[in-house]
Amino acid sequence: MDFIIKSYKKGEFLLEFRKADILGVRVAALTMGEAVKTAEAFMDSEKPHLIATANAEMIMRATHDTELKEILNTADLVVPDGAGTVWASNYLGVQMPERVAGFDLVQALFANAPAKKRRIFFFGSAPGVAEKAKAKAEKDYPGIQIVGTRDGFFTAEDEAEIIAQIKEAKPDLLLAALGVPKQEKWLKAHMQELNCPLCIGVGGTFDVMAGVMKRAPLWMQKAKLEWLFRGMLQPKRIGRLMALPRFVMAVKASKKFK
């Protein structure tokens, strides 16, 4: 399914995909290629956009966090980041072509960035991590322009300085690794002021790029066991991972009442 440009005027456009309503969160049914094309179109525009990457844990959180749910349902694009999201969409009758992992989406945008002269800002993670992720990106994607970094440890008093730093750097793409839902709420609150064409909350992406956290082996990703790998590496996440069986039960229950 190709995305449909419904209207176009001075760099402004509306993109439309079929969407799955998963526990009240509308997720686009699209391929990775379509997600990349859409993100590139956002970066070519003159207005700020927000892409959210919705996995089962985020969707479950949105069932009791009305602010997060509102942010997701007003975002310019919500992609299915997680095997659970893909399963839920298919179970509910909306064919989801594939998983669009936030990490992989970002890497695809990095690959295109040098030729398109994109300016990218890394915001978040522990002190020093964004700088290591920057070095990794510069090694893997020669010519990429990472125009600024800032760690994710800050107080409300620091926000004006952070916003000024990002605005001065003039990025086309702002990646925020503050964790869910802080990153989505922070980006939504400030995206108009920042006036960055595209903002994405990227969770642990910088940690993986910096080598602080390992990503699941490819076979586990293909077997839809990435959640298990994270639990093995971070036993403290076990409580959070319990959201997965609750998610499955909630989706099945929701179908009964549709």
Side-chain angles (χ1 to χ4, degrees):
M1 180 193 304
D2 291 331
F3 64 77
I4 303 168
I5 298 180
K6 296 186 68 178
S7 65
Y8 182 90
K9 182 179 180 181
K10 294 183 179 180
E12 297 185 8
F13 45 82
L14 293 173
L15 306 179
E16 183 174 276
F17 297 93
R18 190 180 184 195
K19 295 178 181 178
D21 183 334
I22 305 174
L23 304 181
V25 174
R26 295 185 291 275
V27 183
L30 78 175
T31 65
M32 176 63 77
E34 290 166 345
V36 171
K37 287 181 182 179
T38 304
E40 295 286 0
F42 288 159
M43 285 189 280
D44 286 335
S45 75
E46 299 175 357
K47 58 180 287 190
H49 298 84
L50 176 65
I51 290 180
T53 60
N55 59 16
E57 187 179 342
M58 180 187 285
I59 293 172
M60 280 303 291
R61 180 180 287 269
T63 62
H64 58 80
D65 185 334
T66 56
E67 181 185 0
L68 176 61
K69 180 182 286 188
E70 176 66 16
I71 290 169
L72 295 177
N73 286 333
T74 56
D76 297 280
L77 182 67
V78 179
V79 300
D81 182 356
T85 308
V86 174
W87 166 81
S89 180
N90 292 334
Y91 181 80
L92 294 171
V94 178
Q95 184 60 41
M96 190 73 71
E98 62 180 325
R99 175 191 178 200
V100 179
F103 181 90
D104 296 328
L105 173 59
V106 166
Q107 301 306 309
L109 297 179
F110 288 169
N112 295 340
K116 293 179 177 292
K117 300 186 182 336
R118 302 296 192 198
R119 298 171 61 83
I120 305 170
F121 196 104
F122 286 5
F123 172 38
S125 294
V129 171
E131 286 78 6
K132 289 180 181 179
K134 174 178 181 289
K136 175 65 172 172
E138 291 171 340
K139 178 182 178 182
D140 291 348
Y141 309 100
I144 195 170
Q145 297 183 64
I146 310 298
V147 295
T149 63
R150 175 62 162 82
D151 68 64
F153 285 64
F154 62 93
T155 64
E157 289 72 25
D158 300 319
E159 289 194 346
E161 178 188 347
I162 294 169
I163 291 168
Q165 181 185 358
I166 296 171
K167 289 176 69 174
E168 184 177 358
K170 297 181 180 178
D172 303 301
L173 173 60
L174 170 60
L175 303 177
L178 305 175
V180 178
K182 184 177 180 179
Q183 60 196 18
E184 286 74 25
K185 292 181 179 182
W186 196 92
L187 289 173
K188 182 67 174 182
H190 301 294
M191 60 185 290
Q192 297 299 327
E193 181 181 5
L194 292 167
N195 198 34
C196 178
L198 178 57
C199 302
I200 309 177
V202 295
T205 292
F206 299 162
D207 292 332
V208 174
M209 292 179 66
V212 175
M213 181 188 302
K214 291 183 179 180
R215 196 178 185 199
L218 187 58
W219 72 266
M220 291 191 80
Q221 294 179 43
K222 289 182 176 179
K224 303 178 182 179
L225 293 173
E226 198 163 6
W227 62 272
L228 177 60
F229 183 81
R230 289 196 298 268
M232 292 165 59
L233 287 183
Q234 299 174 291
K236 291 181 180 179
R237 287 179 59 99
I238 294 297
R240 291 169 56 186
L241 292 176
M242 289 306 295
L244 294 173
R246 290 198 297 269
F247 174 76
V248 171
M249 290 186 290
V251 170
K252 288 186 175 183
S254 73
K255 187 175 182 179
K256 293 179 180 179
F257 295 101
K258 285 189 176 182

